[in-house]
Amino acid sequence: MLRELRPAIVMLIVFTALTGLLYPLTVTGIADVVFPRQARGSLIERDGKVVGSALIGQQFGGDKYFHGRPSATVAPDPKDPARTVEAPYNASGSGGSNLGPTSKALIERVKAEVTRLKAENPQARVPTDLVTASGSGLDPDISPEAALFQAPRIARTRGLTERDVRALIERQTKNRTFELLGEPRVNVLELNLALDRLRL
């Protein structure tokens, strides 16, 4: 019996070492050399301090900052662990709301958000990504249309010209990856940091 078990045990040890240690360490080492910024989380710094990641959205309050997509992430309720509470951009609780297109709660939330945004900019069409959450709830980007929709509010609250704000959005807009994949996008954190630098 030991004769039959010995090869299986040896193979288990060899493949555990290969696939559990050697392969992950090799791939991590290569990634760290070839893509150092991405391998370390695409962290964004301001004045030497990490303020976020280009890969994970975060909530911005107030009228003087661009706002990202709604986030559907949740966290356990501190008062009742069996329930959940909203926790926007909670990276440990990534996921959508699982509300379908016929969900009354989703329809009411979207209608309320559209009404609120229409009051902010009555002449423009409300971009879809400003009222719908992404599948992960952590999307760091918005469409250029969503950023431009917010330009009048930003210009008004910061005392800038709308033309300057639109030019900033244009500079911060990233095109499709390889001119083929995805859609043009604007990273909200990077845009808000550039907006703060505009006032310096």
Side-chain angles (χ1 to χ4, degrees):
M1 183 166 138
L2 185 60
R3 192 172 166 200
E4 289 86 26
L5 282 177
R6 187 172 179 269
I9 292 170
V10 169
M11 293 304 284
L12 174 68
I13 292 168
V14 167
F15 279 103
T16 299
L18 281 175
T19 61
L21 294 173
L22 187 62
Y23 176 75
L25 289 173
T26 301
V27 170
T28 302
I30 291 169
D32 202 33
V33 170
V34 179
F35 305 108
R37 182 175 176 270
Q38 292 86 341
R40 292 186 179 98
S42 298
L43 300 177
I44 297 174
E45 292 183 2
R46 179 180 184 178
D47 301 325
K49 181 182 173 197
V50 174
V51 294
S53 168
L55 304 175
I56 298 175
Q58 52 186 284
Q59 193 167 22
F60 287 93
D63 289 341
K64 69 178 193 168
Y65 286 109
F66 286 93
H67 302 156
R69 295 183 75 165
S71 176
T73 57
V74 295
D77 186 341
K79 297 174 186 167
D80 182 1
R83 306 184 117 194
T84 58
V85 293
E86 286 185 17
Y89 301 103
N90 176 12
S92 66
S94 172
S97 66
N98 290 329
L99 298 176
T102 59
S103 165
K104 187 177 179 182
L106 176 64
I107 292 168
E108 287 174 3
R109 187 187 62 72
V110 169
K111 281 183 178 179
E113 197 64 17
V114 167
T115 301
R116 184 184 71 75
L117 290 169
K118 271 297 203 190
E120 175 185 312
N121 191 349
Q123 284 76 32
R125 184 185 69 81
V126 176
T128 305
D129 55 329
L130 286 181
V131 295
T132 56
S134 66
S136 69
L138 303 174
D139 198 342
D141 302 320
I142 56 175
S143 66
E145 294 78 23
L148 290 169
F149 178 88
Q150 299 177 68
R153 169 178 50 84
I154 299 295
R156 192 171 50 251
T157 58
R158 289 201 176 232
L160 299 168
T161 67
E162 195 171 325
R163 192 172 126 217
D164 287 341
V165 176
R166 288 176 173 274
L168 178 68
I169 293 167
E170 190 175 313
R171 287 192 303 272
Q172 291 292 317
T173 298
K174 296 175 186 158
N175 289 322
R176 295 172 172 210
T177 306
F178 307 120
E179 298 296 325
L180 179 69
L181 303 173
E183 294 294 325
R185 63 206 178 280
V186 182
N187 184 286
V188 179
L189 174 57
E190 291 172 352
L191 179 61
N192 283 329
L193 289 173
L195 184 64
D196 282 344
R197 284 192 301 271
L198 201 63
R199 295 297 290 166
L200 297 176

